[in-house]
Amino acid sequence: MERTNDSTLTEFVLVGLSAHPKLRTVFFVLVLWMYQMILLGNGVLISVIIFDSHLHTPMYFFLCNLSFLDICYTSSSVPLILDNFLTVRKRVSFSGCMVQMFLSFAMGATECVLLGMMALDRYVAICYPLRYPVIMSKNTYVPMAAGSWVIGLVDSVVQTSLTMQLPFCANNVINHFVCEILAILKLVCADISINVISMAGSNLIVLVIPLLVISISYIFIVTTILRIPSTEGKCKAFSTCSAHLTVVIIFYGTIFFMYAKPKSKSSVGADNQDIIEALISLFYGVMTPMLNPLIYSLRNKDVKAAVKNIPDKR
């Protein structure tokens, strides 16, 4: 591809589903509805946790952070996605694209780390129930949540800074709905080995390590639950972490399916694969935040009871 000076590149063109006009209309309605459900579901969950004193515990504090994170994550990308569905070739300024990429990457990285922190919370609650209030005090769980945000923001600053310094080719067309970092790196006309190394380090910190923490935590959790003599006790113990485990499976399952599948070598197959990757990314970016409040409310007696008590408090 022809190389261009990075100072002359002022905008990107998002293609998305431009070749499928019928799908664009369907997805616009679907994504708009899902976004409204995300704002409503997570907003209600945050309000319930804040106003119900019985839910002022470490687990619900983390859940409140997760819901707020989901609102921020979708709000950083869904408006652009919806606009993309209404426009055949959506043009986005270079700075606007970088800001959107920074916010999306930061929120995604923060959620990975936060899920790991939530696993540690469940590990302490199940394996050390008597010491749980002492170990998971406010001086512990607040820095854990804050650390998740700091790690995500710092990681995004590094990745976005490295990307902004790269020279881009004359082709500024992104085969995606949003400014996704991997799609943008495909347009670079230079050696991106530093970016690859940086991304590998990022994946290790925000993906691999939290996943190891989650896996090890649940190994100890399952071992502890199996030692409980009564069936009722086992079910009660597992119910406290089943919602988190479900969210983790959906979250990491989508990520691994998106990045671990083989790449197509033919140009036609590559174009189709770009569309498939974009659709999977759309599922990851919209479906998961919509399901999170449903999973935690339907599988959690405390949240359901708090929601039912809202009319009584009024």
Side-chain angles (χ1 to χ4, degrees), residues 247-258 280 283:
V247 170
V248 167
I249 292 173
I250 295 174
F251 184 82
Y252 276 97
T254 308
I255 291 178
F256 286 132
F257 182 79
M258 181 164 50
I280 295 173
F283 172 85

Side-chain angles (χ1 to χ4, degrees), residues 8-251:
T8 63
L9 183 61
T10 59
E11 64 179 14
F12 290 103
V13 177
L14 299 172
V15 176
L17 290 173
S18 59
H20 308 276
K22 293 182 179 180
L23 286 178
R24 282 165 47 204
T25 304
V26 172
F27 274 102
F28 174 82
V29 176
L30 180 61
V31 173
L32 178 60
W33 176 79
M34 293 170 70
Y35 183 51
Q36 292 174 335
M37 292 299 103
I38 289 169
L39 296 179
L40 178 62
N42 287 285
V44 169
L45 193 57
I46 291 173
S47 300
V48 168
I49 293 173
I50 291 175
F51 291 109
D52 194 312
S53 59
H54 296 94
L55 302 181
H56 292 177
T57 63
M59 182 178 76
Y60 294 108
F61 178 77
F62 286 124
L63 180 55
C64 190
N65 273 266
L66 182 64
S67 293
F68 180 69
L69 190 61
D70 284 337
I71 291 176
C72 293
Y73 180 76
T74 52
S75 297
S76 70
S77 58
V78 169
L80 184 60
I81 293 174
L82 293 173
D83 194 12
N84 184 277
F85 287 144
L86 295 176
T87 310
V88 177
R89 292 168 70 87
K90 172 63 181 176
R91 297 182 180 275
V92 184
S93 66
F94 181 86
S95 58
C97 192
M98 292 299 108
V99 169
Q100 188 268 310
M101 184 183 75
F102 164 78
L103 292 174
S104 295
F105 196 97
M107 298 303 105
T110 302
E111 184 159 354
C112 290
V113 180
L114 186 63
L115 288 174
M117 298 296 185
M118 294 174 75
L120 287 176
D121 172 70
R122 292 298 83 206
Y123 161 72
V124 177
I126 299 297
C127 299
Y128 302 97
L130 298 179
R131 297 176 58 191
Y132 178 73
V134 178
I135 297 175
M136 293 301 296
S137 64
K138 192 173 183 179
N139 292 331
T140 301
Y141 66 79
V142 171
M144 287 172 67
S148 302
W149 285 91
V150 171
I151 292 173
L153 290 171
V154 170
D155 187 24
S156 187
V157 167
V158 173
Q159 303 308 324
T160 306
S161 305
L162 291 175
T163 304
M164 291 180 66
Q165 298 174 15
L166 295 170
F168 291 89
C169 302
N171 177 22
N172 64 342
V173 177
I174 302 176
N175 289 316
H176 212 284
F177 305 111
V178 293
C179 298
E180 200 262 345
I181 188 168
L182 295 182
I184 291 176
L185 289 178
K186 293 179 181 179
L187 306 180
V188 174
C189 286
D191 182 18
I192 60 171
S193 56
I194 294 179
N195 297 76
V196 172
I197 295 173
S198 178
M199 285 290 290
S202 171
N203 290 337
L204 176 64
I205 295 172
V206 303
L207 278 177
V208 177
I209 292 179
L211 185 58
L212 284 175
V213 170
I214 293 169
S215 302
I216 295 173
S217 296
Y218 273 100
I219 289 175
F220 284 104
I221 288 172
V222 172
T223 303
T224 302
I225 291 177
L226 291 177
R227 292 175 181 171
I228 299 175
S230 66
T231 304
E232 183 181 354
K234 291 178 181 177
C235 293
K236 185 177 180 180
F238 184 73
S239 65
T240 62
C241 54
S242 59
H244 174 259
L245 186 59
T246 303
V247 170
V248 167
I249 292 173
I250 295 174
F251 184 82

